[in-house]
Amino acid sequence: MLGRIVNRGTSDVWTATGHGDADDRLVDAARLGDPDAFAVIYQRYKLDVWHLAWFSLRDHHDAEDAVQETFLKAQRALGQYRRNETLRPWLLTICRNACRDRLRVAQRHDDVAFDEELAVVAGAAPDREGSMDFHRALSALPDEDREAFLLVDVLGCRSEEAAQIAGVRAASTLRSRLGRARRALAPAVAETPAPQVGAEVWGVFHSARQSALVLSEEAIRRGRHPADALLVRLHESGAGAADPAAGSDLVSFLERLDRRIPGERTVLAVVDERPAGAAPWLAGHPRWRMQRAPTHASWVGEVDAVLARCLPCTAAEREALRALLCADEDFVWTGEA
């Protein structure tokens, strides 16, 4: 074995005698059959690949399939990777090609709801009228200009990386396309307020065996927060606010939320020290990350801190929730009616 994985909370660090954790060294180790090295490559770049697949295909399940296809192809093609390349754009190029193949087969059409999500990410107005303006402007762009905008302004690639991914010989050509896209989209995003930033709380799971808090730390839409309903239920029902599905297992709870949370969100699950059964699911999902609290008491404190940060909780509301999560009674909340 050439190396080993050391868990560092939400990320993995590959260590080996005589080796650093640079991408080229990881690739060399993976070529020689070290599964840990390729696991670190996957953990390091799975979110980048997921975002490109999601924004390209506009479908949750197709995006997951494209991510899986990307890493399977990458693992088989490690022998073709050249050390003068950069691993991130190499992987994104494989993903782009996989998505283009799927789009050719499916012959998908533009989807208004998707472009509303993209408008929020790009900074366009979150209201319906502003999103429609952005949708029309985005749809009117030539494919190559839209791709340049997606790679640089949405996914955050450097122009040189974006050019490599798009198969463009010169980065200046990519920058020219990006400039045209920005000028065309400028009227749709001009003079719009900055989006709110904070935690979106999507679910809380607590049982005698395991506990989890699910959230995303990203730009959120203005208006009602998903966790507002949790406080309403505490007001109305007190300790009786438990979800009827409280007896479900943690993986089922995570899968249930995965179907509800918008596909472009990156999701964090904060778990206590007990739920070992959910770890493989969280580690293998392209857009989910896991953060462990060392004890159940510290997990309850993390839930309390997150809600205090993202919601105007009163002391009584926070105390009511802490009492629910410290008790032996099962409690599951997913924000659904």
Side-chain angles (χ1 to χ4, degrees):
M1 185 68 71
L2 295 176
R4 62 189 181 90
I5 292 181
V6 179
N7 195 309
R8 290 289 185 267
T10 59
S11 62
D12 292 317
V13 178
W14 184 77
T15 64
T17 304
H19 289 269
D21 63 348
D23 286 344
D24 285 348
R25 290 171 179 170
L26 284 170
V27 171
D28 288 344
R31 283 171 174 165
L32 294 174
D34 186 350
D36 287 349
F38 194 80
V40 173
I41 292 173
Y42 171 78
Q43 291 293 333
R44 185 172 292 177
Y45 294 112
K46 69 176 184 178
L47 290 179
D48 291 323
V49 173
W50 162 261
H51 285 139
L52 178 57
W54 164 254
F55 285 122
S56 298
L57 297 173
R58 317 178 187 187
D59 180 88
H60 177 87
H61 297 293
D62 284 352
E64 285 188 341
D65 290 344
V67 170
Q68 183 178 21
E69 181 180 348
T70 296
F71 283 101
L72 285 174
K73 287 184 175 180
Q75 190 170 34
R76 295 167 185 158
L78 286 173
Q80 302 173 25
Y81 175 78
R82 298 187 298 273
R83 293 183 67 90
N84 62 341
E85 292 184 284
T86 306
L87 187 57
R88 179 175 183 257
W90 184 73
L91 290 169
L92 291 178
T93 301
I94 296 174
C95 179
R96 173 185 181 262
N97 292 335
C99 291
R100 287 167 69 89
D101 289 343
R102 289 176 177 273
L103 288 171
R104 278 194 292 267
V105 172
Q107 295 183 335
R108 295 192 180 277
H109 300 285
D110 288 338
D111 181 83
V112 174
F114 163 80
D115 286 320
E116 288 177 356
E117 300 290 353
L118 185 55
V120 173
V121 174
D127 59 280
R128 177 74 178 182
E129 182 179 353
S131 296
M132 288 301 296
D133 290 342
F134 182 85
H135 164 68
R136 286 189 288 266
L138 188 69
S139 297
L141 291 177
D143 289 344
E144 58 187 24
D145 294 355
R146 188 185 304 112
E147 182 177 52
F149 170 77
L150 168 64
L151 290 171
V152 177
D153 284 349
V154 177
L155 298 182
C157 296
R158 299 191 305 273
S159 57
E160 292 78 9
E161 289 181 328
Q164 179 181 341
I165 296 165
V168 177
R169 187 178 300 274
S172 58
T173 303
L174 191 286
R175 287 192 289 269
S176 177
R177 295 176 180 179
L178 177 62
R180 289 197 303 266
R182 287 172 173 173
R183 288 191 294 273
L185 295 173
V189 298
E191 298 182 2
T192 57
Q196 292 177 315
V197 177
E200 286 182 318
V201 180
W202 290 95
V204 179
F205 182 102
H206 168 60
S207 72
R209 300 182 307 279
Q210 49 197 8
S211 299
L213 165 70
V214 175
L215 66 146
S216 56
E217 297 271 3
E218 298 182 357
I220 62 175
R221 297 175 183 270
R222 297 185 184 276
R224 185 175 178 84
H225 190 283
D228 288 348
L230 175 57
L231 299 182
V232 172
R233 296 187 73 182
L234 289 173
H235 275 306
E236 294 175 347
S237 309
D243 190 287
S248 64
D249 65 276
L250 180 54
V251 172
S252 297
F253 165 79
L254 297 175
E255 291 175 340
R256 179 177 172 184
L257 287 179
D258 190 47
R259 292 190 292 269
R260 291 187 58 239
I261 300 174
E264 84 287 353
R265 296 291 198 276
T266 302
V267 190
L268 172 66
V270 183
V271 299
D272 65 9
E273 81 282 7
R274 299 170 296 173
W281 189 96
L282 290 166
H285 198 292
R287 67 169 177 148
W288 285 66
R289 290 190 179 277
M290 178 175 61
Q291 175 181 315
R292 285 188 178 274
T295 65
H296 180 67
S298 63
W299 177 83
V300 173
E302 180 69 19
V303 175
D304 180 68
V306 167
L307 290 181
R309 188 169 71 247
C310 70
L311 286 176
C313 304
T314 66
E317 289 167 342
R318 292 171 64 184
E319 186 59 34
L321 181 60
R322 289 181 67 92
L324 279 174
L325 300 179
C326 290
D328 292 333
E329 181 181 359
D330 289 354
F331 175 80
V332 175
W333 173 80
T334 61
E336 297 172 300

